[in-house]
Amino acid sequence: QAAIDAYCNRTFEADTDTRYYERDALDDRGFTLLVDRDLLTITTLTNGDSAGTAIPNTEYWLIPRNRTPYHGIRLKIDSTYSWEFDTDYWVSVAGTWGYSATAPDDIVHACIRLAAYYYRQKDAQVFDTTAMPEQGVMIVPQGIPRDVKIILDKYRRIGFA
């Protein structure tokens, strides 16, 4: 599971957490707070002012609006709220983070396939070895097997920490 999460740069098993954001998480126009992990739900959104003002869910949209996971929180154009970042205060987002509540079936399949591959490696005399087939040496693929990568590639999140 950890190898798949690392390869895809996302977590497939949802968890609850509170994450904190500074002004540099805003988009160029200043309306959208871009989050650094896949977001499923928000429990509490707290502005970065010294009073720790809660922003009600009627004042923002989660984006993209038509599918999960979400990657940003956009204040509505008619909202009376604006993002605030007073000295030493950050916007906090408490919620459920991850790709989905349960991993998609093909991710489960990839995890089983990868676990079986790792298990078989215990019996291999050498790891990550490639050789000429005419020499009769077994070829052991390097890293994650190609068939697993094919499944995982559509889930890779590029450009996020």
Side-chain angles (χ1 to χ4, degrees), residues 29-105:
R29 295 179 34 216
F31 290 112
T32 305
L33 183 74
L34 302 173
V35 295
D36 58 347
R37 283 187 62 197
D38 294 328
L39 176 62
L40 293 173
T41 63
I42 292 180
T43 307
T44 307
L45 176 61
T46 306
N47 217 342
D49 57 355
S50 58
T53 305
I55 300 175
N57 63 3
T58 56
E59 299 294 319
Y60 59 84
W61 298 110
L62 297 175
I63 57 170
R65 289 190 58 193
N66 297 322
R67 69 180 186 281
T68 58
Y70 301 112
H71 300 129
I73 306 163
R74 180 176 296 150
L75 292 175
K76 290 182 178 179
I77 200 75
D78 62 349
S79 176
T80 58
Y81 292 85
S82 62
W83 298 115
E84 295 184 39
F85 301 90
D86 293 350
T87 304
D88 296 329
Y89 296 98
W90 298 6
V91 170
S92 69
V93 182
T96 306
W97 301 86
Y99 183 80
S100 61
T102 59
D105 290 342

Side-chain angles (χ1 to χ4, degrees), residues 15 24 31 45-46 55 78 85 99 126 129 134-135 144 154:
D15 67 336
D24 63 356
F31 290 112
L45 176 61
T46 306
I55 300 175
D78 62 349
F85 301 90
Y99 183 80
V126 289
T129 301
E134 60 271 4
Q135 293 176 344
I144 296 176
K154 70 179 180 183

Side-chain angles (χ1 to χ4, degrees), residues 128-148:
D128 296 335
T129 301
T130 57
M132 303 298 286
E134 60 271 4
Q135 293 176 344
V137 176
M138 185 174 126
I139 297 175
V140 179
Q142 296 180 352
I144 296 176
R146 187 173 188 279
D147 63 314
V148 175

